[in-house]
Amino acid sequence: LFVFFIPLFPKFPFQVVNYTYIAIRFDDMLSALLALVFVVQLLRKKVSFNKLPYKKLFAGFWVAVFVSYAMGMFVTKTIEFPFVGLLHAARRVEYMMLFFIAFSVIKTAADYRKLLFSFLTSLFLINIYGIGQRFFDFPAISTMNPEFAKGRILFLTPEARLSSTFAGH
């Protein structure tokens, strides 16, 4: 479900963060929910960190992200809105946590084949949607500037380039 949801669900803002054009979206909430379930499973010892590769590299990156945030907040004082900086840091952890979730879900070759089939099906649908955006006036949603980040539905003009699916893929 997640392999389909992230690339194909529209990136409409759920909660806009004041003083920015950053928005918390439904896919952020789904990712956070999955991460929470994963942490609960870790605490219940249903999933083990011992078998997960690269955990030290990921942890090092996460430490660097939050040290950078702390430095920007307290040393260089370059972060004007602390909550926004915290959201940026948390989004890095959120997205990278999905690696651990995916790794823990795949236990057999059959699991891998199911995930691969789901991924390729999702990729096919993304391409179909991109063709629809370009030639059949399917809506496009972009979050690349403050005006578009409000969740406005756009339609590509003939000279416009194909920017993305709903998810920016």
Side-chain angles (χ1 to χ4, degrees), residues 7-56:
L8 295 172
F9 190 77
K11 297 302 182 214
F12 292 117
F14 175 73
Q15 176 67 44
V16 175
V17 179
N18 291 334
Y19 310 112
T20 70
Y21 67 93
I22 297 169
I24 298 171
R25 305 175 310 234
F26 286 108
D27 62 304
D28 293 323
M29 294 188 320
L30 180 61
S31 297
L33 178 65
L34 281 174
L36 178 66
V37 169
F38 181 73
V39 169
V40 168
Q41 293 297 74
L42 274 173
L43 295 173
R44 293 178 60 212
K45 304 215 186 297
K46 299 288 185 182
V47 178
S48 171
F49 254 158
N50 296 336
K51 297 176 185 174
L52 297 174
Y54 312 117
K55 62 184 170 234
K56 291 180 182 176

Side-chain angles (χ1 to χ4, degrees), residues 86-97:
L86 185 62
L87 284 176
H88 277 295
R91 189 168 270 176
R92 301 310 177 267
V93 173
E94 171 193 354
Y95 287 162
M96 293 174 76
M97 189 74 156

Side-chain angles (χ1 to χ4, degrees), residues 16-141:
V16 175
V17 179
N18 291 334
Y19 310 112
T20 70
Y21 67 93
I22 297 169
I24 298 171
R25 305 175 310 234
F26 286 108
D27 62 304
D28 293 323
M29 294 188 320
L30 180 61
S31 297
L33 178 65
L34 281 174
L36 178 66
V37 169
F38 181 73
V39 169
V40 168
Q41 293 297 74
L42 274 173
L43 295 173
R44 293 178 60 212
K45 304 215 186 297
K46 299 288 185 182
V47 178
S48 171
F49 254 158
N50 296 336
K51 297 176 185 174
L52 297 174
Y54 312 117
K55 62 184 170 234
K56 291 180 182 176
L57 293 174
F58 279 70
F61 179 78
W62 292 342
V63 166
V65 165
F66 285 102
V67 165
S68 172
Y69 168 69
M71 295 291 287
M73 278 291 304
F74 303 113
V75 177
T76 62
K77 300 189 186 311
T78 55
I79 298 177
E80 291 183 45
F81 303 104
F83 185 63
V84 174
L86 185 62
L87 284 176
H88 277 295
R91 189 168 270 176
R92 301 310 177 267
V93 173
E94 171 193 354
Y95 287 162
M96 293 174 76
M97 189 74 156
L98 298 175
F99 169 79
F100 293 115
I101 293 168
F103 189 83
S104 67
V105 167
I106 300 172
K107 298 190 185 322
T108 66
D111 292 339
Y112 177 74
R113 283 191 294 276
K114 286 179 191 174
L115 185 63
L116 183 61
F117 176 77
S118 299
F119 174 75
L120 292 175
T121 304
S122 179
L123 184 62
F124 175 74
L125 293 172
I126 288 168
N127 283 300
I128 295 297
Y129 194 85
I131 291 168
Q133 280 182 329
R134 186 72 180 107
F135 299 110
F136 302 108
D137 290 329
F138 285 16
I141 297 173

